[in-house]
Amino acid sequence: MRTITCLAVVLPLTGIVLPVARIEGQSREVVVLRSTTGVRPETGSVLLRPAGLAVDNMPLATALTRLSETSKVSIAFSPSFLPQGHRVNCRCETVTVATALDYLLGGTNFGYVVLDDQVLVSPKPSIKADDRYVPTAALGAVTLDAGIRLAASALPGFLTAQDRTAISGTVTDAATGQPLADVRISVVDAALQSVSDGRGLYRLTGVPVGQVMIQARRIGYRAMDRSVTVPASHPLTVDLALTPSVVTLNEMIVSGTAGDLTRKAQSATVAEIGVSDIAATTPARTLDQVLQSRVPGVSVNAGSGASGTTSEIRIRGAASISLSNEPLIYVDGIRVTSQASPLFFTASFFLGGQVPSRLSEFDPKEIESIEVVKGPAAATLYGADASAGVINIITKKGPAGSRRFTQSIGAEYQHIDPNFVPPANYDRCTAPLVAPTSPNPLCRGKAVGELVSDNPLVREGVFRNGSTKALSWSGSGGGPTFGVFLFGAYETEDGTLPNNGFDRRSGRANFTWTPASKFTVDVNAGLHRANISLPNNNDDGHGYLAATIGTPLTRRDDGVDGPNGWFKPDGAAIALIENTQQTHRVTTSLSATFAPWPWFTHRVTTGADWGRDEMLRYLPKNSRSSYFGSNTGDLNVARAGFERYTFDYLGNARIPTGSTIVHNLSAGFQVVSSRQELLQASGVGFSVNSNNLVGAAAAKGADQSYFLQRQVGFLGQWQGSYRDRLFVQLGARLDANSAFGDVADWFFLPKAGISYVVSEEPWWQRQIGFVNTLRLRLAYGQTGRAPNAGAALRTLASAPYVTILGTQQPGVVPLSPGNDSLKAERGVEFEAGFDAGFFNDRAGIEFTFYNKVSRDLLLQRPLSPSLGFSQTPFVNIGELSNRGVEVAFTAQPILGKTVSWDVRVGLSTLDSEIRDMGGVAPFLTAGGANRVMVGYQPGVFIGNRIRSIDVASKRVIVSDTAEVIGNTMPTIEGNVSTNLTLFSRLRLYALLDGKAGYYNYNLNDLFRENSLIRSNLRLDPTALSPEERLRRFGDETPGRPPFVRENGTPATINEVRDAYVQKADFLRLREVSATLTVPASWAAYIRAQGATITVAGQNLALWTKYGGVDPEVISSTRSGGSDAFNIFDFLGLPPTRRAVVRVNLQY
Amino acid sequence: MRSSSAILRVSAFLAMGAGALSCSDYLTVENPSVIAIDEIDPMADATTLSNSAHQNFATAHGWLIMYSGWFTGETDVSETFPTRHDFGRRAIGPTNTNLNTDLWAPLSLAIASSYIVLEVNLPNPDANLDYVRARHALAWAYLFMAEQFCSGVARGGPELNTAQLLDSAVVHFGAAVTGGNANNSAEGVALARSALVGRARARLQAGQKAGAVTDANAVPAGFTFNLLYFDDLSRRTRLGNRLWQFTADRGSIGVAPVWRVTDPRLKWRLAPSNLLPQDGSYVLNRGAPHAVQDEYPAFNTPIRLASKLEADYIAAEAQSTAAMLTLIQARRSANDQPAYVGPTDAASVLAELEDQRGREFYLEGKRLGDLRRNGPAVRYAPAPGAPYWRPGAAPIGNQTCFPVPQVERDNNPNLSP
């Protein structure tokens, strides 16, 4: 600890006697300045003392003297320099000294600074500093010689170019000494930002001369705030060493809050994912993969291994039964479309769960971070559509003021292994097939009844190794007042099936402009173009996997057309089927921040998300019987467009009262407008395949759909803080949505919360030393989810009729009886938890308990079908509860320059239960195996349970009615990831994750063993034990029912399915990687300034007792509503295994 | 600076205020994919409503023929859906998903949409063609519900037994006959005659033989009333011929081997290479090649609903064994079949009449009503307890009609316990 002695220095120009501090042991004096009028004083500053002043029409000098008396703060000024005759009023009894001074000096040419405990009032015009300013190695202080004329040299908004200079330096990891990239360095109150490059270098230009506060922020490191005094004579070098930390209470977050944006001020959990690191050092290539197993409570399930397909994302379980449970997606503050084109959910493009991914339209390399707003407690400010959570994607920005341009080039290759051996088909030879003249090569010459097998997929070598090739470039830099980030990427992937793959092109240009210190504008634009080709699969007779239900008895070698062991079309014919989507998308946003006064900020964010999908499905004309029904060519084309516009305004006032209390008042409004349209045409019958246009078809059809939905919300929030460690939030939002028309009541969404950083109490460290950080938090909030526009209306649907003359005329049929009192679902959430850091924040834990209740749950109360409506209306009658705990434990057991090791453990539980269905009878989802019923998770698997098995009599007794078998959503999810860094250059990483407490419906086996008998387990009597045979197939005696209910009536295998709804618990080695940071001298050989090489693997091992290929396969579209709970595994492609090589170069 | 700030503040508040005031317009529902109920004028649009209701019946009719064809053994289920095989096995659970979606709901829509027309106060009610059209659709829907379902329900009302359903059919057929004749247009008269056949059929099914004979005899010679279908690629499920759709697009319908006889009235053929069954192993499992119906070879092939020929069969069955025998010989002769030389007791002749009737009206949806009316006389229906041809399936059940779907029982307060 250095001691400081106060001296006095005379400012020549002003004549003011300026106290100056002298640091013991140094020859030069140090002045610690508070430079900026109105900025938030530091904790403990005299400026935070109560002013206690009340003056009316009083000369300024007298008022300043009076303020000094009432506040007991020494205020130095020169009366003769003050504007003569200037009189002031000030009702400043309850405000701070800073606020009072702001007010008294407003309109004058005077500002003030703080020198130790004394306030100095001096003229604002800066006095050019000269070369007497000399930077020191010690940050936060600057030495100076006598004759200082600093005064208000750093007052923002009053500086000329000559009053600005530059700061540059290197950011390193304090533990390892290695350079740190992607550290965001900013100058407080000057709206200047920079981002360190791959060598840890950063540069800020246009920095005001004088004392400034610089901040350094990076996920995973303790936030650093440094006060430095910037000389005008030459650029200042400030090297920063950031300390790794698992507790990040001082991080800034931008999602779901207003006012004080530091994490410690937030009462509800907002998780942040540092995407840059993940994209650089793990095999994750898509945003789905980036989100997977990173945040407790966020469940990501890739239902298909087909290239280009999406994953299902659930945050804290399912918030709704009838509406989509996908979270809202925001990019740089504007809401974007996350749903795939609606056509993929229709019969004409039925590809099951193989739905193109919208999230993949954003490349992780263009993203700085992702914030996950988990539930209503945090999502209230997002309005009545956010109950399933919000994912906010924050793209990279150019470092304004850096005055240089850095570039990064990335190249990647992935080898894709199908990771799947399809099962062989079995059957018993029949008499005609064993004859010498039999066309069947498998049975010819065999005995009648002999078991033969065939595996068309293996026989014809359908599966192949796929590959991904990706190339990306990014550049970022900036001038004195602007920053720019540019990004471009190309990626192409061949899937493991012949007609599966994609190529994507992405581009982004983000521009930041700071024309004045009070005004910042961000303009962001992202472009995306993709061509995706998907195979047929998932409960599709034209699919490759349908070959697993073909029969060897159809094999023939006589050249006659037929299935030849396939289910219907053979592999060559399936490969000719085209399912393509071409996507063009533009996502733009503009965000402007204007701070007219230091205590007040306006922020306007507006933007648009435009996109168009062009889809084609073509079953080609052929001379064989390749496809069901038609061999003349069958075409479906569609164009689906979406537009979403967001306008968001937020005003924030920061009002200190006294020295310890600060109020943040925020108010704003948000408007979101979404439009979707679909134009579809079809044609059957073509003369040649090259002429496959709708106009050339023998028969044609067309369809169109369109809807527009708008949402308006007004929000307000008060946030109070006490000594910057106790925070209270009260907020609300009023929302309206066009789903209900203009007559519906506004939707009121309150929120409240407390956050208390106990460990910042002075007594804490004395009492509990090893727990160096502890924050307690408690939050309550509400949000909602609305159905599509028109859901409340009584409606008819267009339905043509055939006239007596055989022509077609427009007609109508009843559609929905409507519901005048329809409103949005209301998600009400309470969460409580703590964040703790131990051993100097080397270990940390985040614990959260949440209880999320969806009230006014929208259910489609089934109508009596005899009423004649084809659509059941929504009614707000149900209640769904999701509760659980989320634990994130992180530790850095070893932290050194040669070896460092960190471990992260995530765990979440989910206890989901439908509490009330308002009298609606339990109902089945489309597949018939999942039921929505009170007392259980939505969509639990049901079936008639086996009560007893008598091997001797072959009698299998089952329950009289269908009973619950198990959950569809995991009740426990966990993951462990670890990084081991050796010699600061080699980073080894692994991620192991698992899910438990849920089931999947192995419809593959049920179908192969019972519906179409193709399985050796069924056909080979020795393959299973007698008891297991009975459990699966029941009594196989001809003429006897397979299963018998307890009441004596027969039951079918489809009703029982007890053996096929199987536990899906699994443990998976999801990711491993090794990343080498190449020495700079090596990188220099290719003129690079830095380079990394990553070798990684994905899905390398799976441990499960599930009887199917992979427990994560889900073959249904899960397009939302109760279909989301229609869970089964049938003819789906399992997740692939990948090997990755990636090189990143920095220039 | 202060003045510009003030301008900004005022502008912001004005913008917010304007925004709030325009909210009501901004929040107006805009979804042209649906039609708000108040956009239809029941009076002015009565023709649209009545024709739509009639189409609803025509659409349901296709489903009813297809499923009852499987149920009575006219055809085989040559596809993979277990729930459709339940129809072939005569063992349909009330939760069978096809039962409601493909049969009950379309038939209910026909009934409900017909009533919508009848509740509008249209001019000239005694001869209004829209009323006639709606009555015609409604009466036929009641008749099919009576013939194929074990009991029925109309518009969320109480459960109606078969006799009540047939009574309702008779009443509405009667109104259609009266109104159609009074209207005297070509369509009105055609609807009236079709209704006359329908009433005869309903009366025969209800055991009111005298009335059936009277109605049947009143049908003019040569009369045929077809339901028309249309090939619109985007509307095939609503407008297209269902039997062809499931023969061609899905490969679901195989002609059962017992019906593969040479008779000009039975139109079938061995499946060509582009009409193979969806279940690729159908041929192996069935032990017979796949044969497809040729009655309806296109999406726009009409389906006969009512005819003088059917009236003749109704009259013969309602009159006497002798009348039946006379018709049998006439029809056999007309269709290149040798004369009937079998036993001439009442039961045998009735069985032979049903055989002829089965050939005459193959895949016209009459077979299930015949099965319920004449039971053992209707041959070739899958026999209860016999093994189903598909390996691994439970044996044939003993149902003679379709149960009311569970979803109706669960959600209709008149049926819920």
Side-chain angles (χ1 to χ4, degrees):
Chain A
M1 175 75 67
R2 292 172 296 186
T3 59
I4 298 173
T5 306
C6 287
L7 304 171
V9 175
V10 176
L11 300 180
L13 190 66
T14 63
I16 293 173
V17 177
L18 179 69
V20 176
R22 179 190 293 277
I23 298 176
E24 192 176 89
Q26 294 191 18
S27 60
R28 294 165 178 168
E29 294 83 7
V30 176
V31 176
V32 181
L33 298 171
R34 267 216 63 81
S35 59
T36 307
T37 301
V39 296
R40 176 188 174 193
E42 291 154 10
T43 304
S45 166
V46 294
L47 290 172
L48 290 175
R49 291 183 187 173
L53 177 70
V55 294
D56 190 18
N57 196 28
M58 185 176 282
L60 177 58
T62 312
L64 289 171
T65 304
R66 182 71 59 83
L67 176 61
S68 179
E69 294 166 355
T70 56
S71 64
K72 306 286 191 286
V73 174
S74 174
I75 301 175
F77 62 94
S78 176
S80 61
F81 277 81
L82 292 175
Q84 300 303 307
H86 187 74
R87 305 181 76 85
V88 293
N89 303 313
C90 191
R91 304 299 301 179
C92 300
E93 298 96 324
T94 59
V95 302
T96 63
V97 169
T99 306
L101 283 168
D102 290 346
Y103 194 81
L104 293 174
L105 299 175
T108 72
N109 203 26
F110 278 70
Y112 61 92
V113 295
V114 175
L115 203 60
D116 287 342
D117 288 333
Q118 189 174 36
V119 174
L120 169 66
V121 175
S122 62
K124 279 178 182 171
S126 61
I127 303 157
K128 288 183 185 173
D130 56 30
D131 57 4
R132 285 172 292 181
Y133 292 97
V134 180
T136 67
L139 294 172
V142 63
T143 58
L144 48 89
D145 291 341
I148 277 180
R149 297 169 297 169
L150 282 176
S153 61
L155 288 173
F158 297 93
L159 300 180
T160 65
Q162 290 74 23
D163 301 320
R164 295 178 184 273
T165 185
I167 298 177
S168 61
T170 304
V171 193
T172 55
D173 182 310
T176 65
Q178 281 300 298
L180 277 179
D182 300 318
V183 180
R184 185 160 293 280
I185 296 117
S186 58
V187 177
V188 177
D189 300 324
L192 297 174
Q193 285 199 349
S194 181
V195 179
S196 63
D197 64 15
R199 297 164 295 163
L201 297 176
Y202 76 96
R203 180 179 168 87
L204 289 158
T205 59
V207 181
V209 169
Q211 187 170 13
V212 297
M213 182 72 76
I214 63 171
Q215 294 181 329
R217 299 282 187 270
R218 191 185 194 278
I219 296 172
Y221 287 83
R222 194 172 294 162
M224 175 180 282
D225 292 358
R226 280 289 172 82
S227 175
V228 297
T229 301
V230 180
S233 56
H234 52 74
L236 183 65
T237 299
V238 179
D239 294 331
L240 304 169
L242 298 189
T243 305
S245 174
V246 299
V247 181
T248 52
L249 293 184
N250 287 316
E251 271 181 6
M252 305 292 277
I253 57 174
V254 299
S255 302
T257 189
D260 188 338
L261 302 182
T262 56
R263 181 176 299 282
K264 66 181 178 183
Q266 310 311 316
S267 51
T269 313
V270 176
E272 185 171 24
I273 301 170
V275 180
S276 300
D277 256 0
I278 294 168
T281 62
T282 76
R285 258 216 64 73
T286 64
L287 273 192
D288 303 25
Q289 293 168 355
V290 166
L291 285 166
Q292 188 152 43
S293 306
R294 318 280 178 200
V295 179
V298 178
S299 179
V300 179
N301 190 91
S304 171
S307 290
T309 55
T310 192
S311 299
E312 176 189 77
I313 301 174
R314 293 283 177 274
I315 300 178
R316 290 180 175 172
S320 178
I321 290 174
S322 304
L323 307 178
S324 168
N325 280 300
E326 294 290 322
L328 303 187
I329 308 292
Y330 278 73
V331 175
D332 293 324
I334 68 152
R335 189 169 159 187
V336 302
T337 297
S338 57
Q339 276 195 324
S341 169
L343 198 62
F344 280 94
F345 307 123
T346 64
S348 53
F349 267 70
F350 184 77
L351 297 172
Q354 300 179 149
V355 177
S357 170
R358 279 268 181 257
L359 267 187
S360 297
E361 291 167 8
F362 299 96
D363 193 301
K365 283 187 162 61
E366 62 184 307
I367 295 166
E368 179 170 309
S369 64
I370 297 174
E371 294 181 354
V372 181
V373 184
K374 291 187 181 176
T380 295
L381 298 184
Y382 285 96
D385 215 13
S387 62
V390 178
I391 292 174
N392 195 4
I393 296 168
I394 299 146
T395 61
K396 291 178 178 174
K397 306 293 184 297
S402 63
R403 284 186 188 273
R404 62 196 181 89
F405 194 74
T406 59
Q407 301 176 76
S408 176
I409 296 173
E412 179 169 337
Y413 177 82
Q414 293 193 2
H415 173 86
I416 308 172
D417 178 339
N419 196 23
F420 172 51
V421 178
N425 299 321
Y426 289 79
D427 219 329
R428 292 192 180 282
C429 292
T430 60
L433 295 181
V434 299
T437 55
S438 166
N440 188 307
L442 300 174
C443 288
R444 192 185 305 134
K446 299 274 175 64
V448 173
E450 187 164 336
L451 199 58
V452 291
S453 70
D454 180 41
N455 195 327
L457 291 165
V458 172
R459 171 165 46 87
E460 295 193 12
V462 169
F463 283 97
R464 63 186 186 183
N465 290 325
S467 65
T468 309
K469 303 173 191 77
L471 200 60
S472 66
W473 170 86
S474 65
S476 66
T481 60
F482 67 91
V484 63
F485 170 77
L486 301 171
F487 172 77
Y490 174 75
E491 177 186 17
T492 182
E493 180 166 309
D494 292 324
T496 56
L497 285 170
N499 49 3
N500 179 209
F502 62 80
D503 62 76
R504 297 185 178 126
R505 296 164 179 81
S506 299
R508 174 162 292 278
N510 289 353
F511 183 73
T512 302
W513 182 41
T514 308
S517 59
K518 296 177 178 179
F519 189 52
T520 302
V521 179
D522 279 309
V523 180
N524 310 309
L527 305 169
H528 179 82
R529 180 182 167 186
N531 294 299
I532 299 176
S533 179
L534 291 172
N536 281 54
N537 270 322
N538 291 351
D539 195 9
D540 189 329
H542 291 120
Y544 290 102
L545 273 295
T548 62
I549 54 174
T551 169
L553 303 192
T554 61
R555 283 287 308 281
R556 55 194 313 153
D557 55 7
D558 58 357
V560 174
D561 184 22
N564 196 28
W566 292 77
F567 177 65
K568 182 67 177 71
D570 61 21
I574 298 173
L576 292 173
I577 298 174
E578 295 178 62
N579 295 301
T580 62
Q581 174 177 291
Q582 187 178 70
T583 297
H584 294 84
R585 183 173 191 170
V586 180
T587 306
T588 62
S589 67
L590 184 150
S591 178
T593 305
F594 175 53
W597 306 286
W599 54 274
F600 192 86
T601 307
H602 298 282
R603 189 198 68 200
V604 171
T605 305
T606 185
D609 181 30
W610 294 288
R612 192 179 70 187
D613 299 323
E614 291 181 3
M615 287 152 284
L616 178 146
R617 175 176 168 82
Y618 186 56
L619 278 63
K621 171 187 171 74
N622 62 93
S623 58
R624 303 168 63 213
S625 57
S626 295
Y627 313 110
F628 293 113
S630 171
N631 63 347
T632 59
D634 193 331
L635 175 71
N636 257 287
V637 292
R639 177 174 294 180
F642 59 87
E643 296 175 16
R644 199 183 288 269
Y645 302 94
T646 303
F647 184 87
D648 187 304
Y649 167 78
L650 185 69
N652 186 71
R654 186 176 184 284
I655 305 169
T657 55
S659 60
T660 56
I661 296 175
V662 176
H663 303 274
N664 270 288
L665 292 172
S666 307
F669 64 95
Q670 185 186 58
V671 179
V672 179
S673 173
S674 309
R675 188 167 79 94
Q676 273 193 10
E677 60 181 334
L678 175 65
L679 187 61
Q680 187 180 359
S682 52
V684 170
F686 295 89
S687 52
V688 291
N689 283 321
S690 59
N691 187 221
N692 62 344
L693 300 172
V694 172
K700 308 172 186 68
D703 211 342
Q704 185 178 15
S705 65
Y706 168 94
F707 89 92
L708 175 67
Q709 189 159 11
R710 296 177 178 127
Q711 178 185 335
V712 180
F714 295 90
L715 58 93
Q717 178 183 283
W718 168 79
Q719 185 188 63
S721 69
Y722 174 73
R723 292 190 184 278
D724 205 32
R725 52 181 175 257
L726 176 64
F727 303 87
V728 179
Q729 278 185 349
L730 293 172
R733 175 164 167 147
L734 266 178
D735 228 55
N737 193 307
S738 68
F740 315 106
D742 55 350
V743 294
D745 291 337
W746 285 71
F747 202 62
F748 179 69
L749 304 164
K751 69 178 279 188
I754 297 175
S755 171
Y756 181 28
V757 188
V758 191
S759 55
E760 290 189 4
E761 291 290 355
W763 48 265
W764 179 264
Q765 294 301 331
R766 290 195 301 271
Q767 303 297 326
I768 311 172
F770 75 99
V771 184
N772 50 295
T773 302
L774 179 65
R775 176 172 78 116
L776 307 176
R777 50 189 157 77
L778 200 63
Y780 167 88
Q782 296 186 11
T783 180
R785 179 139 284 202
N788 284 344
L793 300 179
R794 183 181 173 90
T795 53
L796 302 164
S798 163
Y801 62 85
V802 183
T803 69
I804 196 166
L805 300 174
T807 58
Q808 186 183 182
Q809 289 291 321
V812 293
V813 292
L815 182 64
S816 168
N819 177 3
D820 290 343
S821 56
L822 192 68
K823 55 190 174 185
E825 292 180 340
R826 184 178 292 275
V828 181
E829 186 179 61
F830 164 82
E831 71 169 58
F834 65 86
D835 308 324
F838 309 94
F839 309 113
N840 199 25
D841 287 346
R842 293 277 291 275
I845 187 167
E846 281 184 28
F847 176 90
T848 303
F849 165 79
Y850 68 90
N851 185 7
K852 181 170 77 169
V853 179
S854 298
R855 294 185 181 141
D856 294 329
L857 200 63
L858 287 171
L859 288 174
Q860 286 180 288
R861 176 158 44 201
L863 297 172
S864 159
S866 64
L867 292 171
F869 291 104
S870 54
Q871 193 177 80
T872 48
F874 285 120
V875 283
N876 297 93
I877 47 175
E879 187 171 299
L880 169 64
S881 158
N882 289 286
R883 60 185 171 185
V885 297
E886 296 162 352
V887 182
F889 172 77
T890 312
Q892 295 167 322
I894 302 173
L895 199 57
K897 291 192 185 301
T898 52
V899 179
S900 65
W901 177 41
D902 66 60
V903 179
R904 186 174 65 85
V905 179
L907 183 72
S908 63
T909 68
L910 173 67
D911 177 7
S912 180
E913 178 188 347
I914 298 172
R915 288 184 181 168
D916 185 14
M917 291 176 62
V920 171
F923 59 89
L924 295 171
T925 60
N930 303 93
R931 179 182 273 178
V932 176
M933 58 194 292
V934 170
Y936 297 93
Q937 269 194 5
V940 282
F941 287 110
I942 56 137
N944 291 61
R945 305 301 307 269
I946 293 174
R947 294 279 193 258
S948 64
I949 298 173
D950 185 340
V951 175
S953 66
K954 298 184 178 177
R955 198 170 173 84
V956 184
I957 306 296
V958 302
S959 59
D960 287 346
T961 56
E963 297 177 353
V964 171
I965 299 176
N967 294 320
T968 56
M969 292 183 284
T971 54
I972 301 176
E973 294 190 44
N975 56 75
V976 180
S977 65
T978 183
N979 281 292
L980 177 65
T981 306
L982 302 173
F983 310 110
S984 304
R985 295 209 175 277
L986 180 62
R987 179 171 167 178
L988 306 174
Y989 160 83
L991 168 63
L992 188 70
D993 73 354
K995 300 178 182 181
Y998 79 121
Y999 290 72
N1000 200 350
Y1001 182 16
N1002 186 356
L1003 191 53
N1004 282 316
D1005 284 358
L1006 184 144
F1007 214 73
R1008 286 168 45 79
E1009 294 171 12
N1010 297 288
S1011 295
L1012 297 178
I1013 299 175
R1014 304 286 183 257
S1015 168
N1016 64 321
L1017 296 183
R1018 179 69 185 268
L1019 290 164
D1020 179 355
T1022 64
L1024 294 170
S1025 69
E1027 184 168 350
E1028 182 60 19
R1029 282 196 77 86
L1030 287 167
R1031 200 172 79 85
R1032 288 177 176 243
F1033 318 134
D1035 187 351
E1036 298 173 76
T1037 308
R1040 293 175 60 176
F1043 300 97
V1044 178
R1045 291 185 172 86
E1046 289 173 306
N1047 63 17
T1049 59
T1052 66
I1053 289 170
N1054 288 316
E1055 290 172 313
V1056 177
R1057 71 174 79 94
D1058 207 357
Y1060 300 97
V1061 176
Q1062 299 168 344
K1063 282 193 173 179
D1065 303 355
F1066 73 87
L1067 192 63
R1068 190 189 294 274
L1069 183 56
R1070 181 83 64 184
E1071 297 175 352
V1072 296
S1073 72
T1075 301
L1076 176 70
T1077 304
V1078 175
S1081 56
W1082 296 9
Y1085 284 117
I1086 50 173
R1087 294 174 171 270
Q1089 292 169 329
T1092 59
I1093 300 171
T1094 298
V1095 178
Q1098 202 172 36
N1099 294 337
L1100 297 185
L1102 172 70
W1103 297 272
T1104 181
K1105 290 183 178 175
Y1106 178 66
V1109 178
D1110 193 300
E1112 291 196 281
V1113 173
I1114 296 177
S1115 304
S1116 55
T1117 60
R1118 296 167 293 157
S1119 58
S1122 59
D1123 186 51
F1125 307 109
N1126 182 24
I1127 308 293
F1128 59 91
D1129 166 13
F1130 188 49
L1131 311 182
L1133 198 63
T1136 53
R1137 178 187 295 145
R1138 292 173 182 241
V1140 180
V1141 179
R1142 181 184 299 141
V1143 176
N1144 284 315
L1145 305 174
Q1146 290 89 42
Y1147 290 91
Chain B
M1 178 60 79
R2 289 201 169 197
S3 61
S4 62
S5 296
I7 291 168
L8 273 175
R9 278 199 304 273
V10 170
S11 302
F13 280 115
L14 284 176
M16 290 173 70
L21 288 173
S22 61
C23 266
S24 61
D25 288 339
Y26 188 74
L27 295 172
T28 301
V29 174
E30 195 170 326
N31 185 359
S33 297
V34 297
I35 303 166
I37 192 73
D38 54 7
E39 292 177 49
I40 287 285
D41 178 348
M43 293 282 282
D45 296 319
T47 300
T48 298
L49 293 173
S50 67
N51 275 302
S52 299
H54 208 269
Q55 182 64 49
N56 293 339
F57 168 70
T59 303
H61 184 243
W63 289 116
L64 292 161
I65 293 175
M66 189 172 78
Y67 277 89
S68 63
W70 285 328
F71 189 88
T72 60
E74 287 181 307
T75 54
D76 288 338
V77 185
S78 53
E79 63 155 66
T80 59
F81 266 36
T83 45
R84 292 203 167 108
H85 279 283
D86 288 349
F87 282 83
R89 289 178 43 248
R90 293 176 58 178
I92 308 148
T95 57
N96 183 300
T97 48
N98 296 116
L99 175 67
N100 179 56
T101 307
D102 295 352
L103 295 168
W104 183 259
L107 197 52
S108 295
L109 174 61
I111 292 174
S113 55
S114 299
Y115 273 117
I116 289 174
V117 179
L118 298 181
E119 287 166 354
V120 181
N121 287 320
L122 297 174
N124 191 16
D126 294 335
N128 188 292
L129 185 58
D130 292 319
Y131 281 152
V132 174
R133 214 178 273 130
R135 293 276 189 195
H136 183 261
L138 180 60
W140 278 108
Y142 267 124
L143 176 58
F144 271 90
M145 189 174 274
E147 287 182 343
Q148 302 208 347
F149 282 87
C150 306
S151 58
V153 178
R155 305 181 81 193
E159 189 164 9
L160 303 173
N161 60 30
T162 301
Q164 291 169 320
L165 291 167
L166 290 171
D167 279 350
S168 298
V170 167
V171 168
H172 292 294
F173 275 131
V177 171
T178 308
N181 286 327
N183 180 269
N184 205 29
S185 64
E187 185 183 358
V189 171
L191 291 170
R193 290 173 180 173
S194 167
L196 207 54
V197 178
R199 189 167 65 181
R201 181 166 154 184
R203 283 175 163 164
L204 177 68
Q205 198 73 16
Q208 301 162 8
K209 292 187 175 179
V213 172
T214 304
D215 284 342
N217 289 338
V219 178
F223 170 73
T224 296
F225 185 92
N226 291 333
L227 290 173
L228 302 181
Y229 296 92
F230 190 86
D231 188 11
D232 178 334
L233 196 53
S234 304
R235 300 278 187 274
R236 281 179 170 171
T237 300
R238 178 167 174 79
L239 302 181
N241 184 305
R242 183 82 58 250
L243 278 298
W244 175 244
Q245 184 185 32
F246 270 68
T247 298
D249 273 5
R250 196 170 167 84
S252 305
I253 300 174
V255 173
V258 294
W259 290 99
R260 300 179 193 179
V261 294
T262 305
D263 186 322
R265 293 169 292 182
L266 291 167
K267 297 183 178 64
W268 62 275
R269 58 178 166 150
L270 289 177
S273 65
N274 64 328
L275 293 179
L276 293 179
Q278 187 208 41
D279 179 355
S281 56
Y282 169 82
V283 172
L284 293 165
N285 293 331
R286 187 54 161 135
H290 186 225
V292 294
Q293 58 82 22
D294 221 7
E295 288 279 339
Y296 310 110
F299 282 99
N300 59 358
T301 307
I303 298 178
R304 183 168 57 182
L305 178 68
S307 62
K308 177 60 176 174
L309 181 62
E310 187 187 0
D312 290 344
Y313 271 89
I314 292 168
E317 184 182 334
Q319 284 173 315
S320 64
T321 302
M324 286 189 257
L325 202 51
T326 302
L327 182 63
I328 288 166
Q329 300 298 20
R331 294 308 300 161
R332 289 180 74 103
S333 172
N335 291 285
D336 304 327
Q337 304 295 308
Y340 175 69
V341 294
T344 54
D345 60 281
S348 298
V349 172
L350 179 61
E352 174 59 20
L353 183 84
E354 285 298 343
D355 273 7
Q356 294 303 315
R357 184 177 159 84
R359 296 178 183 211
E360 211 81 70
F361 305 110
Y362 184 68
L363 286 182
E364 290 188 20
K366 299 178 183 17
R367 195 77 177 156
L368 182 48
D370 298 345
L371 183 69
R372 294 187 69 192
R373 191 172 67 253
N374 292 321
V378 177
R379 293 189 285 237
Y380 312 138
Y388 188 56
W389 58 266
R390 198 166 189 232
I396 307 292
N398 58 2
Q399 288 178 335
T400 58
C401 49
F402 306 153
V404 171
Q406 193 63 40
V407 64
E408 181 72 37
R409 295 200 177 279
D410 285 342
N411 299 291
N412 182 339
N414 292 302
L415 272 65
S416 303

